[in-house]
């Protein structure tokens, strides 16, 4: 995504160009001084700086992963503040130093040539390493803000590649760039981006309970702003401006931007003259220092030096990561059996823990890490076979913990409870039983029964329309009514067995396509009605649809409706909508994809209504967020509904299509916890 990539692209371009200019001056100075044999020492320092930067990024990533959720927020927030400080200092330093950079580097190279190889390696390492560390820190913070790494990494990679090409052009003297102007413009943009990173970091510190005011909002536009639209996504990705911000975020953002931008602009006015390129003006031969031949170095150390300086940062980073993920000796392995569950379990340390669960019994078991006072589940392993060992990863905070083992053919066994120190803050899921889902299932079955009765009536009317030859208007309108009725029963699709294929099957994969004899139901009639097929050709298909609807209505009360389908379908109905209806994949000529999506949304709303008591007690903030998402998507779908007609998906403008897709994607993301929250667990 461009919105996630742009900040990293800019930092990659700017830092890459800065480091590349330094390397270019180093190389040009050595070449002009007749010391080309010393170039490997420069590249050794450069490679060491790259290794250090990558190692620093790995340390940040894996160290954060080993912390508890609250600690991760605090850690990320603190480093975001540090990143803002570093980037701000870098912006001001480069604004002042662009014109004198080449001279400073030449002076250092002149000094290094009179000394040993290690000094030249150190010179290039220090010159490039600072930019590398700044880049790694800023990329880590932007990836955290984007909640994904692909976009930021792709942006940074593109920026670094472009910077390398520019530096090559400058070095070969085929390109001229006003570097002072370049660093001024990019510096101003980075100040704006850094303001957003500061706001994001302050929010992280609030969520990590380091700073107060986490629930004191300056504004909350989540109900009126389409978070999935392209413009909203761009603002969030590039500027870190979100629909909901606290007063501290707003104050930090506005205060930083006002103060730093004012100082930056004032400083630009004070810089005399325009900047020149740096790397395209290598030292003149008459002013170059004479090469200082060094005595022959031992072959062994000369070969080992590059390997050592590159490998040491990686080895140190590996050591830090290993220490961050090290586990206490006590409690590493926990025994599981039907008679003795949790043997070897002691009070765990706060943070991310990796428990090795070993089944010492003779039956396959389910294993749960629970809060014994509420039976809430922190982590689980399903189907741990006898004699096998598997890892269970869970984040531990202050609270009471115990293990519950549930053999395949036995009663649940719970270990003794232990107390973990530290502050509370880890969310556990209160388990759901079949009894808990009984009432929602009964209510939803009643809804489906009523919908099927309506379906039988509407498909009979459609069949009568076609038999009477009313194909152009009446049959098309009744077809859409009947199909929307069926689409609103989405949570029962898995229960309808073969009826679903007969009633709503698609021609995909059939040997004859739309003309295959096994292509039946709504989409077969849709194809005929919108492709000029005669009433005689459609009469039999319409009657078969009416008969199948009546057969489903009769069979449904006796079909096995798995209670676990309810929470699963809460997400899957709209997942299929995004995949099929909103791509036009199911359209056989009617252009009614958005009408079907609207019916699917109505079915999802009904499903959430019957699940509301269970969801509210387990995730109080989930349904208000989902309701706002549904209202946003409903408004977008309504805008495509004109009287009795709907705008076909293929005729939507790019912006309208992006808004609908974005709103559906956001709703799906917010619905994604529902299956886990309402999963039936044997420990219940």
């Amino acid at each position: 995504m461009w919105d996630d990539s742009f900040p990293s692209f800019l930092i990659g371009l700017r830092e890459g160009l800065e480091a590349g200019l330094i390397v270019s001056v180093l190389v040009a100075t050595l070449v002009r001084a007749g010391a080309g044999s010393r170039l490997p020492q420069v590249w050794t320092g450069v490679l060491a700086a790259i290794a250090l930067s990558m190692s620093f990024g790995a340390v940040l990533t894996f160290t954060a992963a080993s912390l508890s959720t609250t600690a991760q927020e605090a850690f990320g927030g603190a480093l975001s503040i540090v990143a803002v400080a570093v980037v701000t200092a870098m912006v001001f330093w480069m604004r002042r130093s662009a014109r004198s950079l080449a001279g400073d580097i030449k002076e250092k190279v002149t000094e290094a040539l009179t000394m040993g190889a290690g000094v030249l390696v150190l010179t290039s390492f220090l010159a490039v390493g600072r930019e590398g560390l700044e880049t790694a820190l800023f990329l880590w913070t932007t990836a955290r803000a984007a909640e994904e790494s692909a976009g930021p990494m792709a942006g940074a990679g593109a920026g670094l590649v472009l910077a390398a090409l520019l530096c090559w052009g400058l070095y070969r003297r085929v390109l001229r760039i006003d570097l002072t102007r370049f660093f001024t413009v990019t510096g101003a943009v980075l100040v704006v981006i850094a303001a957003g990173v500061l706001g994001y970091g302050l929010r992280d510190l609030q969520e990590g309970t380091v700073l107060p005011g986490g629930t004191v909002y300056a504004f909350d536009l989540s109900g009126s702003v389409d978070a999935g639209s392209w413009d909203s996504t761009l603002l969030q990705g590039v500027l870190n401006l979100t629909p909901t911000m606290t007063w501290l975020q707003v104050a930090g953002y506005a205060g930083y931007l006002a103060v730093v931008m004012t100082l930056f602009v004032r400083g630009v006015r004070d810089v005399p003259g325009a900047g020149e390129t740096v790397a395209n003006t290598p030292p003149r031969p008459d002013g170059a220092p004479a090469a200082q031949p060094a005595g022959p170095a031992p072959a062994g150390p000369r070969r080992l030096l590059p390997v050592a300086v590159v490998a040491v940062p990686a080895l140190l980073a590996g050591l830090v990561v290993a220490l961050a993920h090290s586990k206490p000796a006590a409690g590493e392995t926990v025994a599981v059996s039907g008679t003795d569950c949790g043997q070897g379990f002691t009070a765990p340390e706060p943070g991310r823990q990796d428990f090795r669960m070993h089944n010492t019994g003779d039956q396959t078991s389910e294993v749960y890490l629970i809060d014994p006072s509420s039976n809430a589940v922190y982590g689980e392993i399903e189907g741990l076979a006898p004699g096998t060992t598997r890892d269970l990863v869970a984040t531990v905070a202050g609270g009471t913990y115990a293990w519950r083992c549930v053999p395949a053919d036995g009663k649940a066994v719970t270990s003794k409870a232990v107390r973990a120190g530290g502050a509370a803050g880890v969310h556990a899921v209160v388990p759901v039983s079949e009894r808990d889902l009984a009432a929602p299932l009964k209510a939803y079955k009643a809804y489906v029964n009523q919908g099927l009765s309506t379906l039988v009536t509407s498909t009979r009317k459609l069949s009568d329309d076609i038999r009477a030859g009313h194909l152009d208007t009446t049959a098309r309108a009744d077809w859409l009514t009947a199909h929307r009725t069926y689409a609103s029963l989405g949570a029962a699709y898995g229960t309808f067995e073969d009826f679903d294929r007969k009633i709503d099957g698609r021609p995909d994969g059939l040997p004859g396509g739309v003309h295959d004899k096994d292509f039946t139901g709504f989409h077969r009639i849709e194809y005929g009605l919108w492709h000029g097929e005669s009433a005689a050709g459609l009469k039999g298909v319409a009657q078969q649809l009416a008969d199948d609807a009546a057969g489903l209505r009769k069979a449904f009360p006796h079909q096995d409706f798995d209670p676990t389908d309810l929470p699963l379908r809460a997400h899957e109905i709209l997942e299929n909508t995004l995949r099929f209806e909103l791509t036009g994949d199911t359209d056989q000529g009617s252009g009614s994809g958005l009408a079907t999506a609207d019916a699917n949304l109505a079915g999802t709303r009904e499903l959430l209504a019957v699940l509301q008591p269970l969801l509210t007690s387990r995730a109080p903030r989930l349904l208000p967020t989902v309701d706002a998402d549904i209202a946003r998507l409903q408004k977008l779908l309504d805008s495509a509904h004109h009287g009795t007609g709907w705008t076909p998906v293929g005729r939507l403008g790019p912006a309208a299509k992006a808004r609908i897709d974005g709103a559906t994607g956001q709703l799906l993301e917010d619905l994604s916890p529902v299956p886990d929250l309402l999963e039936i667990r044997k420990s219940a």
Side-chain angles (χ1 to χ4, degrees), residues 333-346 357-361 365-370 384 392 401-407 411-418 683:
T333 301
V334 180
V336 175
S337 74
T339 57
D340 189 6
C341 180
Q343 183 179 359
F345 181 51
T346 58
M357 312 306 299
H358 179 62
N359 190 342
T360 59
S365 292
E366 311 292 312
V367 185
Y368 302 94
L369 179 62
I370 66 168
L384 183 62
L392 186 152
Y401 296 83
W403 292 102
R404 178 163 292 165
C405 307
V406 188
K411 295 182 178 180
V413 179
T414 304
S415 73
K416 67 177 183 178
V418 299
S683 59

Side-chain angles (χ1 to χ4, degrees), residues 176-218:
R176 288 184 62 86
I177 298 177
D178 186 336
L179 291 174
T180 299
R181 185 177 298 277
F182 171 83
F183 285 117
T184 298
V185 173
T186 57
V189 178
L190 274 178
V191 168
V192 177
I193 292 175
V197 174
L198 176 62
Y200 176 82
L202 292 173
R203 181 58 180 163
D204 269 357
L205 290 175
Q206 288 179 316
E207 292 180 350
T209 68
V210 176
L211 294 176
T215 58
V216 183
Y217 296 107

Side-chain angles (χ1 to χ4, degrees), residues 466-528:
I466 292 176
R467 186 181 296 107
H470 303 151
L471 303 184
D472 289 339
T473 303
T474 306
R476 289 183 177 186
D478 288 341
W479 174 89
L480 182 58
T481 299
H483 189 240
R484 279 169 51 82
T485 299
Y486 185 78
S488 67
L489 310 178
Y493 287 169
T495 306
F496 289 167
E497 300 173 352
D498 289 341
F499 284 104
D500 182 53
R501 178 182 56 80
K502 297 175 183 178
I503 292 173
D504 205 38
R506 296 188 295 274
D508 305 346
L510 296 176
V514 294
H515 303 293
D516 196 279
K517 62 181 179 62
D518 291 327
F519 181 34
T520 61
F522 279 114
H523 291 299
R524 172 64 182 88
I525 296 174
E526 176 189 9
Y527 179 83

Side-chain angles (χ1 to χ4, degrees), residues 49-65 75 79 132-141 143 153 313 317 321:
I50 294 173
L52 176 65
S53 304
M54 296 179 67
S55 300
F56 179 55
V59 168
L60 292 178
T61 301
F62 289 104
T63 299
F75 181 73
L79 286 182
L133 292 176
E134 290 172 354
T135 303
L137 179 59
F138 196 82
L139 284 181
W140 187 83
T141 56
M153 293 303 293
V321 171

